Amino acid sequence: MKHLIPEFEKLRERFPTGFESSLVLPCVRRIQEDRGYVADTDIVELAQYLGIPQIQIEEVLSFYTMFRRKPIGRWHLQFCHNVSCSMNGAENILAHVERRLGIKPGETTPDGRFTLSHAECLGSCGTAPMMMVNQAYHENLTPATVDALLEELK
Amino acid sequence: MAGRQLLMTFPVTATSHSLAEYLARGGYVALAKTLREMKPQDVVKEVAASGLQGRGGASFEVGRKWQVVQYDDGHPHYLIANADEGEPGTFKDRWILENNPHVLLESMLIASYALNVRNCFVYIRGEFDLPYRRLAGAVEEAYAAGYFGRNVLGTDFACDIVVYRGAGAYVAGEASGLIASLEGKKSYPRNRPPRLTVRGLYQQPTVVNNVESLSNVAGIVLHGAAAFRTVGTAKSPGTRLISISGHINRPGVYEVECGYPWMKFLEEDCGGVPGARPIKCVVPGGVSSKVLTGAEIKELVLSHEALWDAGSTMGSGGMIVIAEGTCMVSLLQVILRFYHHESCGQCTPCRHGTGWMHRIIDRIVAGGGMPDDIDRLYYVSKFNDGTTICGLGDAAGYACTGILDKFRDEFEYYIEHKRSKYGGSLECLKSS
Ligand SMILES: Cc1cc2nc3c(=O)[nH]c(=O)nc-3n(C[C@H](O)[C@H](O)[C@H](O)COP(=O)(O)O)c2cc1C
Ligand code: SF4
Ligand code: FES
């Protein structure tokens, strides 16, 4: 984590004084972008850097769905299975991808290329069904567009 | 077009979100007018006089919330735009963030001036990518042009803004949960009183408003409350951004003048239901609002009062159209799974209640439902109502009883025959 401290210093300048605790979410997010997950050492170092209790960071990591403490596949496919996506065929698309990759939500392909997850409504209901691939939204999915996309993701 | 428009007033292009084009549309004139001609109290009065209601879910009047803040109480004040947009079916704030971020920023500057706010924040849901990039880009543009920082437009007014990204929690959209999250903690909502306008972010007076609520402020200040009130109805001044999805030919975000006929909106503006199927029911404003049947909405207009009278609410503006032939048991399963997944677990009735409801509906769908399961769902829903810290626990119950009240026979059929009356399908194929 330590090599990110110059970035964190810049971030800190944008917040009012006394807002150190607020830096937990943005710093954790940046650490995860950098390493792929948040390691135990990151927690210790970030707590020290911000002067906040380690337990706060651990709670944040376990509370929010976007944070993780273990590595996952290179491409994280997150399928929305909320109301509007379900009403527009999300289940079929997901079943198609499960067959193609041979994994279920919560699993990673043995080559470490894909991790599959469910997600709740991602604010894309008008362009359902949809999934997130890492941070990007892919909308109006069909089996054909999903197939083409999976080919591209090496 | 669904009546007159106040926010979607320009054609969206690849560059229409830029500062240059916002200025060309008359942007930041309202800010200049405010700083030059208006006292902070005048702004609060004008917004109160406009009758603008919150667009985040509860439809509470914006001006009344602002009036609680004591301008000169010696405390730092904070303003937060709620861009968490997590209510299933809702994707309308995204339209503003992607296509007109400066109207939000200008409005927040005006609000900050009115409420004596030195630091304001936009709390944006963690998964939003393009909306975040557009908003962050607009913030940079606005700083470079001197709208933020010290001596805004050469006056004594100073204001800074931070765009804060959430990390995936529906409950972080609840105003006090949001504040906990913005303090870098898990987003546990907290009991009121004290109100957030008294003790909010870091224990200081804080105003939390939805993105769309705030985005109306620039126009209200520029043209006056009276002009705003000429749009919409007496009890629902202005317009609502409605994001519509589900079984509808032209899903998307529409700006609807309050008082506009509901069926006209669905049929003419949104192109009706695929295959011209009849409407079974509609989720009016996010899954937390009670469904209304096709028959119930026939004569209704889209206004807060009309929906309240009908026993529901415009809520978050997230409308979902459900065609005849859809299995309501499967639909309720999706909804109850969602609430169970999103309960933060602080309150016993919500933690256990949402889990219990989820298990019951799973059991019914799996063919193991018991005859008294419907009553059990009612029991748990009622038990949640009013006994929890935040609205999530209540909402789970409303969504559930809203569907049971109107489609009880489908649940009875499912339990008795161990299968759906409608093949368990939620889909309505566009070609059918
Ligand atoms: C569980 C829950 C989730 C909520 N999510 C949102 C949200 O994503 N966006 C929003 O603006 N308001 C949301 N709200 C409503 C907020 O608590 C708050 O009322 C609103 O942001 C106030 O803004 P307004 O008065 O301008 O509508 C949510 C409320 C609850 C109970
Ligand atoms: S009602 Fe549910 S989500 Fe809201 S605070 Fe209580 S446990 Fe958490
Ligand atoms: S239901 Fe899938 S994005 Fe909203």
Side-chain angles (χ1 to χ4, degrees), chain A residues 14 21-22 25 29 56 59-60 63-66 81-82 84 87 89 92 120-121 123-126 137 139, chain B residues 88 91 94 125-127 140 162 164-165 167-168 181-187 202 245 251 321 337-338 427:
Chain A
R14 297 213 104 168
S21 171
S22 292
L25 263 67
R29 188 180 180 116
Q56 184 181 335
E59 282 181 350
V60 159
F63 189 83
Y64 295 97
T65 57
M66 289 178 73
H81 65 160
N82 211 292
S84 303
M87 289 171 65
N92 298 338
E120 295 302 348
C121 180
S124 238
C125 333
Y137 277 33
E139 306 172 289
Chain B
F91 49 100
R94 197 181 146 186
R125 70 174 296 171
E127 297 91 346
E140 298 310 318
V162 171
Y164 197 87
R165 304 181 83 177
S181 185
L182 186 34
E183 289 177 355
K185 304 177 195 147
K186 56 185 191 255
S187 49
Y202 291 101
S245 64
V321 180
R337 183 203 65 221
F338 167 75
E427 265 189 90

Side-chain angles (χ1 to χ4, degrees), chain B residues 257-324:
Chain B
E257 180 172 357
C258 292
Y260 193 77
W262 201 334
M263 287 310 292
K264 187 172 176 204
F265 173 59
L266 295 180
E267 281 165 3
E268 293 177 21
D269 296 279
C270 305
V273 177
R277 285 213 221 178
I279 293 171
K280 183 170 193 170
C281 61
V282 177
V283 173
V287 296
S288 300
S289 62
K290 289 194 171 187
V291 297
L292 294 171
T293 63
E296 284 174 308
I297 68 168
K298 271 237 147 59
E299 303 299 326
L300 288 189
V301 296
L302 290 163
S303 70
H304 296 108
E305 60 275 24
L307 272 86
W308 284 328
D309 287 347
S312 190
T313 169
M314 293 199 82
S316 66
M319 194 181 286
I320 306 173
V321 180
I322 296 159
E324 207 56 75

Side-chain angles (χ1 to χ4, degrees), chain B residues 88-391:
Chain B
T90 316
F91 49 100
K92 47 103 186 168
D93 294 330
R94 197 181 146 186
W95 189 92
I96 296 176
L97 300 167
E98 286 180 8
N99 299 309
N100 208 11
H102 282 289
V103 78
L104 172 64
L105 298 183
E106 180 177 13
S107 294
M108 289 181 74
L109 283 158
I110 295 168
S112 296
Y113 173 77
L115 300 166
N116 201 8
V117 167
R118 179 67 180 75
N119 293 94
C120 60
F121 301 85
V122 182
Y123 184 96
I124 183 169
R125 70 174 296 171
E127 297 91 346
F128 272 171
D129 183 34
L130 181 63
Y132 168 74
R133 284 186 280 122
R134 288 274 170 89
L135 179 66
V139 165
E140 298 310 318
E141 284 181 315
Y143 263 105
Y147 297 119
F148 283 99
R150 284 171 203 279
N151 303 113
V152 174
L153 300 181
T155 68
D156 294 340
F157 176 59
C159 186
D160 282 296
I161 188 165
V162 171
V163 180
Y164 197 87
R165 304 181 83 177
Y170 167 60
V171 74
E174 194 277 339
S176 65
L178 184 157
I179 284 175
S181 185
L182 186 34
E183 289 177 355
K185 304 177 195 147
K186 56 185 191 255
S187 49
Y188 270 11
R190 73 150 170 80
N191 267 319
R192 272 76 122 197
R195 282 187 278 193
L196 303 177
T197 38
V198 176
R199 271 168 177 267
L201 187 61
Y202 291 101
Q203 306 301 316
Q204 303 302 330
T206 302
V207 167
V208 180
N209 274 127
N210 171 262
V211 165
E212 181 191 346
S213 318
L214 286 169
S215 296
N216 274 293
V217 167
I220 289 170
V221 164
L222 187 61
H223 304 294
F228 184 76
R229 279 192 168 275
T230 64
V231 180
T233 68
K235 288 186 181 160
S236 302
T239 63
R240 292 284 313 238
L241 292 185
I242 292 192
S243 60
I244 184 166
S245 64
H247 299 148
I248 192 80
N249 276 318
R250 287 198 293 273
V253 181
Y254 295 80
E255 183 169 17
V256 177
E257 180 172 357
C258 292
Y260 193 77
W262 201 334
M263 287 310 292
K264 187 172 176 204
F265 173 59
L266 295 180
E267 281 165 3
E268 293 177 21
D269 296 279
C270 305
V273 177
R277 285 213 221 178
I279 293 171
K280 183 170 193 170
C281 61
V282 177
V283 173
V287 296
S288 300
S289 62
K290 289 194 171 187
V291 297
L292 294 171
T293 63
E296 284 174 308
I297 68 168
K298 271 237 147 59
E299 303 299 326
L300 288 189
V301 296
L302 290 163
S303 70
H304 296 108
E305 60 275 24
L307 272 86
W308 284 328
D309 287 347
S312 190
T313 169
M314 293 199 82
S316 66
M319 194 181 286
I320 306 173
V321 180
I322 296 159
E324 207 56 75
T326 308
C327 173
M328 297 307 286
V329 182
S330 306
L331 191 86
L332 186 60
Q333 186 186 28
V334 172
I335 293 173
L336 293 179
R337 183 203 65 221
F338 167 75
Y339 286 113
H340 181 208
H341 183 255
E342 298 298 335
S343 168
C344 81
Q346 261 191 111
C347 323
T348 311
C350 174
R351 181 179 65 242
H352 286 285
T354 54
W356 198 3
M357 290 196 285
H358 184 194
R359 283 192 300 278
I360 294 171
I361 193 77
D362 274 358
R363 167 164 93 200
I364 295 174
V365 171
M370 302 187 209
D372 53 356
D373 271 351
I374 298 175
D375 292 334
R376 213 170 269 129
L377 284 173
Y378 271 110
Y379 173 77
V380 184
S381 298
K382 299 247 158 72
F383 197 75
N384 269 8
D385 193 4
T387 58
T388 57
I389 294 174
C390 90

